[in-house]
Amino acid sequence: MILRGKEVKGMLQVKEIEKKILTAHVNEASTTYVVPT
Amino acid sequence: MGTIRDRIFLFWRLTFPYGDSMNIALVFPPFYFEPMYNLPPLGLINLATVLRSSPHRVRIFDFPLDIRRKALPMDRQIYRACARHILQFAPDLAAFSVQCTTYPPAVQIAEELKKLDPALKIAFGGHNASCVDELTLSRFPFIDAIVRGEGEITFPQLVRAFDGQVPLASIDGITFRMLDRIVRNPDRELIENLDCLPASDYTFVAPLHEYRDVCGIGRSIAILEVGRGCPHRCVYCSQSIMWRRRARTFSTGRIIGEMKNLAENFGAECFLLAFDQFTAKRGFAEQFCLGLIDAGLNHLPWYCISRLDTVDKDLLNLMRKAGCETMCYGIDSGSKSTLAFIRKDIDREVLFDRVSETTEAGIVPTLSFVIGFPEESRQDLEATLELVLKSAATGNANILVQMTTILPGTDLYEKYWRRLVRDVDTYFSLGIEFDQGKRIASDDALIDSDPAIFCSFYNVPCPAATLEELNQTASYFPIIATLYPRSFLLLSLELNRSILDLFFGFLDRVAEIESIHRLCGERLRLTPQACLAYFSDFAAESLARHDILVRDFIPEVVKYETCLLSAGKAGAPSSPFHIDSSRIGDLKPLRNEKMLIERFTFDIPSLILELKCGHFPDTCPQREVFVAFSRAPDGTQVREINEFGFDFLRLCDGQSTLEEIANQLYPKYGADKDREEFAMICAEAAGTLAGLEVLAPFESA
């Protein structure tokens, strides 16, 4: 089955909604305000 | 008889008979708070740096790092162990950098040191010590001097005094003991040009990667001072008092040079830029960002701290381009009257918009809220919690909720010290639980004995809630706000229940469920895992008891937020692969193990967009939508896919070949195409989904 080079119209549609960065665990950013210096 | 100054000189000559070279121990007292990582002690590094050219031997004792390395056991003997360790260096002077939390450990180690070596001189420095200098010296005779304010000029002079070269009385910025008197010298002028200070010498501390590894964080963080001071007058703040409400910065060229050096020679992988007001002077922030971009250093991530009223879209976009990943904002409160009480001169109306703009620029805002100010009402507290939820609903905010902590020297202390009580531990009093998870009894006795010196371990009651309720809110509300901000606020609106009431309703429910697992009298500890496990049912039960459901889409929002969390749980993301469309008979596409695809009956994508903008509507149009939740390296990526994508992905089970999948879908989607063309469409879809890491690598048949 040789299909390369043949132009087809895509059927899949994908739209980004959001990206959620999970912070419910220890992470670097959540502690910046209170780190002793 | 000489002058008074001569007599003082004679006294001090007899008291401090040191030679030319001293051993100087710079001590960072023990501290361990699991959710907080440790950074190198920048203040002590700076003191070591300014003494580099002196004849003295200087060593930094970083006990928080030793605890993390498991080189210093956390038990009742910890202070003795610290003292003995310091004494192995045979120091002539031990100088402590002390914050409010580490004041009791510093006092106890100092006492132990003096007991073991009465000739040793002991000095304290830092915010807390600067504000309770005379009280500290009066109360603890084993401490010889306090360095107030910035130490880079004062401390070397103190060393010279202890070395017998200058009289203590001549040194501005110190408080010291002379016979039975406490002498407080005049304040030292602030350093006019910070650039005249040498760059912090990180060779005095362990390599940055050690801090990274023992704290279990992803990258080596270097802390870098950008400026000092803040012109504002917030009633709780000791920073602005210490820096006399004057903001000064290092030059941008110097900061960028230090970043380059730390990245190239010390393995720094990201930077915490220490300064409360990074964007206060727009020209400075812009010059810094442009300088980083020009120097080709904008691949280095950095964090900074600022105020929401000093940023806008353009500046945020420039900062993001220059490498800024996270900005910490002290929002404090969502209540107008509380903002007025704390003298936070900021327009409440801009708060949410600026948070939203920060998120849109691709910067993660870390938002610090404070609850339980002495005059705060229930409504004030409610307004803050609402702003917490709305901010979290923008998508990627780190939420910190802290109870009010009364720091010495602040206006809050001056006004409310008579109302101090010891009840619950705030965020600023945790980190010294060295006796099997509890504070050592002698630390508690010390704290009990002196509210003025140890006031950060005390509370001031407020009308909004009991101290225990405030403590639970500070401890656990950020979990709710991080995991279910949209559902929670919608639920509160739908049930017409206050956020606080609903929050305690949820805590009670969790306590009920978990009571069988807890020992009698043991306090509930809400974890993210418990929140994830029980919140959906709690929301469903609450809605079921509600007679008329206006916002009938809430269960789908709960489902959406649950999927966000479930899809992002541990598991390695798949690596990209390539489709060889000539072999579709051999290839068996497999959905990424951590991916979820769900069907919704409401227009969830549009609703999420509204919620992110701070609008919490009563209605949501119905529309069949398919949503894919897949794991990204640091969280969850959410995409709407069409029905073809939904059906296609459901068949990607690793068992069926691409050809078989194409054949199965052909009757529904291939009506106007020949089979070969349709197979190619499926191969293309697989390629696209693989590029998005929604599909795992193929297995050959």
Side-chain angles (χ1 to χ4, degrees), chain B residues 274-552:
Chain B
F275 181 36
D276 281 354
Q277 296 294 327
F278 184 80
T279 54
K281 288 182 186 159
R282 192 188 179 92
F284 167 82
E286 284 175 344
Q287 197 180 14
F288 172 75
C289 292
L290 293 170
L292 269 183
I293 295 166
D294 283 350
L297 294 173
N298 52 333
H299 62 283
L300 297 172
W302 46 277
Y303 313 148
C304 65
I305 302 167
S306 200
R307 271 169 66 110
L308 284 165
D309 56 354
T310 57
V311 295
D312 59 32
K313 277 183 188 172
D314 291 343
L315 183 58
L316 289 164
N317 286 330
L318 177 64
M319 289 170 67
R320 181 71 197 107
K321 198 176 161 195
C324 178
E325 266 189 1
T326 296
M327 280 186 84
C328 184
Y329 297 116
I331 294 187
D332 295 342
S333 177
S335 151
K336 259 186 185 172
S337 56
T338 298
L339 288 170
F341 169 81
I342 59 179
R343 289 204 301 257
K344 187 111 184 175
D345 184 20
I346 197 165
D347 179 4
R348 182 192 177 278
E349 307 311 318
V350 308
L351 299 179
F352 176 79
D353 291 345
R354 296 287 185 271
V355 170
S356 190
E357 284 166 14
T358 306
T359 310
E360 276 169 31
I363 295 172
V364 177
T366 291
L367 307 175
S368 172
F369 296 88
V370 184
I371 57 173
F373 286 106
E375 309 294 341
E376 204 163 45
S377 69
R378 196 84 165 185
Q379 287 75 17
D380 297 322
L381 179 54
E382 191 70 10
T384 297
L385 299 182
E386 186 186 331
L387 185 58
V388 169
L389 291 174
K390 282 192 168 175
S391 305
T394 60
N396 283 320
N398 283 315
I399 301 295
L400 298 174
V401 179
Q402 293 152 33
M403 277 180 75
T404 302
T405 300
I406 311 284
L407 297 174
T410 60
D411 290 352
L412 265 189
Y413 178 82
E414 296 306 324
K415 196 165 173 194
Y416 294 99
W417 63 269
R418 286 182 190 83
R419 286 169 54 183
L420 288 173
V421 293
R422 277 205 79 194
D423 193 335
V424 297
D425 287 324
T426 71
Y427 203 60
F428 287 88
S429 56
L430 293 171
I432 55 167
E433 297 71 38
F434 300 132
D435 184 7
Q436 298 179 329
K438 292 185 178 157
R439 248 193 313 264
I440 298 173
S442 56
D443 277 337
D444 267 326
L446 204 55
I447 295 163
D448 281 336
S449 71
D450 210 320
I453 294 178
F454 302 107
C455 57
S456 63
F457 291 86
Y458 286 71
N459 318 111
V460 172
C462 86
T466 66
L467 289 166
E468 183 53 32
E469 284 171 336
L470 290 168
N471 188 33
Q472 291 209 324
T473 308
S475 304
Y476 303 133
F477 196 72
I479 297 176
I480 284 280
T482 304
L483 303 192
Y484 287 101
R486 296 150 180 170
S487 306
F488 201 87
L489 187 49
L490 284 166
L491 202 58
S492 154
L493 293 167
E494 177 65 24
L495 303 175
N496 201 20
R497 276 177 82 176
S498 76
I499 295 168
L500 199 66
D501 185 41
L502 190 64
F503 170 66
F504 282 109
F506 178 55
L507 286 193
D508 287 347
R509 185 74 188 106
V510 175
E512 205 179 306
I513 297 167
E514 294 209 328
S515 60
I516 44 169
H517 305 301
R518 275 185 298 133
L519 301 170
C520 182
E522 193 187 356
R523 264 189 62 197
L524 169 73
R525 293 176 65 88
L526 182 69
T527 60
Q529 290 74 16
C531 191
L532 184 59
Y534 307 131
F535 183 75
S536 298
D537 287 347
F538 170 76
E541 287 162 15
S542 305
L543 290 171
R545 284 197 296 271
H546 195 54
D547 293 337
I548 306 157
L549 201 58
V550 176
R551 298 167 183 83
D552 49 357

Side-chain angles (χ1 to χ4, degrees), chain B residues 85 87 121 141 327 400 404 427 519 533 553 562 580 632 634:
Chain B
H85 187 49
L87 289 177
K121 296 295 168 207
M327 280 186 84
L400 298 174
T404 302
Y427 203 60
L519 301 170
F553 54 88
T562 303
D580 180 351
D634 50 359

